[in-house]
């Protein structure tokens, strides 16, 4: 496994990789969710590249960029075990030199849900992913369904800008009690960690009611909101039931519908989602 820090070195090495090349972009502090993407990439490609880059442009001014957890040594050991060929770990200055001033922005799909709560977030995501695609030129890129809107937005960018990459979504990996794995779970103290299961409980409730025949999206949202309000440590940012492709909010559920939510537990903002099929 080679660890590469500069764009020039990455380009040089890329020329020698055997096709197809699978790529997994991450911000590090790896957990089983990230590793499931790497395993998927490993299973269907001859070469696997993983990037670790905490991308400053996708964090808002009052968000957790400087506190975001980092553990590069541990990450590299985990990636070595998964038979990663190349880990690309550029510095912020390497990716965003002083005069950097070009942006990739998806329209409507990036403005709702996470985009509405975190202005500029997706502009940062699509810009860095476009840069990484240009540098690494992967055959396929692997993203977690955990960040469902991110998958939709990146697929839109790839289609609209004719990028030659297959975007693959990989199922969410959860803790035994249902909490979606996330690097940010490390912010939770034991009491908050217990409270954080409310996200999965709300998703499970929506799934159960839908299976029982409830198609009124308003009723499903209300039931989810009521359940979350029963948890004193939780504050809702949004609870959404939307068309899984357009992200338009639904009155009547018609499958596939994306049920997604953002909830703050103390200062930690968690997101999760499920699909009603
Ligand atoms: P991040 O390091 O948070 O930017 O995540 C890197 C990639 O891992 C993204 O495509 C995420 O959607 C994905 N990911 C994060 N958590 C999970 C999870 N629990 N299950 C599956 N994929 C995940």
């Amino acid at each position: 496994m080679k660890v590469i820090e500069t764009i020039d070195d990455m380009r040089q090495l890329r020329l020698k990789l055997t096709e197809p090349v699978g790529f997994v972009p991450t911000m590090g502090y790896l957990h089983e969710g990230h590793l499931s993407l790497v395993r998927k990439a490993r299973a269907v490609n001859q070469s696997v590249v993983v990037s670790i880059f905490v991308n400053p442009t996708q964090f808002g001014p009052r968000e957790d960029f400087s506190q975001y957890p980092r553990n590069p040594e541990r990450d590299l050991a985990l990636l070595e075990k998964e038979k990663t060929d190349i880990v690309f770990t550029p510095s912020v200055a390497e990716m965003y030199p002083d005069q950097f001033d070009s942006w990739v922005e998806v329209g409507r799909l990036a403005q709702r849900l996470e985009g509405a709560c975190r202005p500029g977030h997706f502009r940062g995501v699509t810009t860095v992913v476009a840069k990484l695609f240009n540098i690494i030129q992967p055959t396929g890129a692997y993203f977690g369904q955990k960040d469902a809107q991110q998958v939709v937005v990146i697929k839109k960018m790839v289609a609209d800008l004719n990028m030659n990459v297959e975007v693959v979504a990989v199922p969410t990996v959860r803790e035994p009690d249902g909490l979606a794995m996330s690097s940010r779970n490390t912010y939770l103290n034991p009491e908050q960690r217990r409270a954080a299961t409310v996200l999965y409980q709300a998703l499970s409730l929506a799934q159960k009611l839908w299976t029982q025949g409830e198609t009124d999206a308003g009723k499903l949202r209300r039931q989810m909101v009521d359940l979350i309000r029963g948890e004193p440590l939780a504050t809702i940012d949004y609870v959404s039931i939307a068309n899984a492709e357009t992200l338009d909010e639904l009155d009547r559920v018609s499958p596939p519908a994306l049920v997604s939510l953002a909830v703050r537990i103390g200062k930690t903002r968690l997101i999760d989602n499920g699909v009603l099929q």
Side-chain angles (χ1 to χ4, degrees):
M1 185 175 86
K2 292 204 168 67
V3 182
I4 303 296
E5 292 178 6
T6 70
I7 294 167
D8 279 351
D9 287 352
M10 184 64 232
R11 284 193 192 285
Q12 287 297 322
L13 220 61
R14 171 64 180 92
L15 297 172
K16 298 189 194 126
L17 290 179
T18 318
E19 308 284 337
V21 175
F23 172 48
V24 180
T26 82
M27 299 205 298
Y29 211 76
L30 303 179
H31 50 64
E32 280 295 315
H34 298 111
L35 297 181
S36 76
L37 306 187
V38 178
R39 285 175 200 137
K40 178 75 190 181
R42 185 71 277 171
V44 295
N45 293 279
Q46 283 298 313
S47 311
V48 173
V49 180
V50 176
S51 64
I52 300 177
F53 179 62
V54 185
N55 175 36
T57 64
Q58 71 187 67
F59 290 79
R62 278 176 297 280
E63 292 183 0
D64 55 343
F65 173 67
S66 55
Q67 292 102 54
Y68 197 82
R70 292 161 168 89
N71 191 342
E73 291 78 21
R74 181 172 174 275
D75 289 349
L76 293 181
L78 290 170
L79 292 175
E80 179 112 57
K81 274 198 213 135
E82 301 301 333
K83 305 196 184 346
T84 305
D85 296 296
I86 299 181
V87 186
F88 181 49
T89 60
S91 65
V92 171
E94 181 75 4
M95 291 297 275
Y96 299 107
D98 277 348
Q99 305 307 318
F100 182 89
D101 198 21
S102 301
W103 301 94
V104 178
E105 193 160 5
V106 168
R108 207 183 52 87
L109 288 172
Q111 281 156 15
R112 33 200 72 198
L113 303 173
E114 285 301 285
C117 292
R118 304 180 67 190
H121 169 67
F122 283 118
R123 183 176 92 142
V125 169
T126 43
T127 299
V128 83
V129 169
K131 284 169 67 68
L132 290 167
F133 284 0
N134 284 333
I135 295 163
I136 290 155
Q137 302 196 13
T139 318
Y142 298 80
F143 292 88
Q145 183 61 27
K146 156 81 171 28
D147 298 281
Q149 188 180 10
Q150 175 168 275
V151 173
V152 173
V153 166
I154 286 171
K155 282 187 171 166
K156 181 71 174 153
M157 169 185 80
V158 164
D160 283 355
L161 300 183
N162 312 101
M163 294 178 173
N164 197 15
V165 183
E166 185 196 358
V167 174
V168 180
V170 179
T172 302
V173 177
R174 299 177 179 281
E175 300 286 356
D177 63 3
L179 178 67
M181 289 194 184
S182 164
S183 308
R184 289 190 169 100
N185 292 349
T186 179
Y187 297 146
L188 303 169
N189 68 28
E191 199 192 350
Q192 293 170 332
R193 171 63 187 77
R194 181 202 47 73
T197 57
V198 78
L199 282 87
Y200 183 65
Q201 286 164 18
L203 291 171
S204 303
L205 176 62
Q207 187 67 248
K208 186 182 95 182
L209 296 171
W210 160 249
T211 307
Q212 290 171 353
E214 183 58 77
T215 61
D216 182 333
K219 277 194 192 150
L220 293 176
R221 280 187 211 96
R222 275 194 297 281
Q223 296 267 358
M224 292 175 73
V225 166
D226 286 348
L227 186 146
I228 299 164
R229 287 205 180 128
E231 171 48 66
L233 299 186
T235 315
I236 297 172
D237 265 9
Y238 63 79
V239 169
S240 158
I241 300 180
N243 178 295
E245 279 151 30
T246 65
L247 303 183
D248 288 331
E249 286 299 315
L250 297 171
D251 295 327
R252 262 299 129 214
V253 178
S254 66
L258 178 69
V259 185
S260 65
L261 73 174
V263 174
R264 278 172 286 131
I265 307 283
K267 288 198 172 78
T268 305
R269 189 171 179 283
L270 300 175
I271 60 171
D272 201 350
N273 69 84
V275 177
L276 304 179
Q277 300 278 9

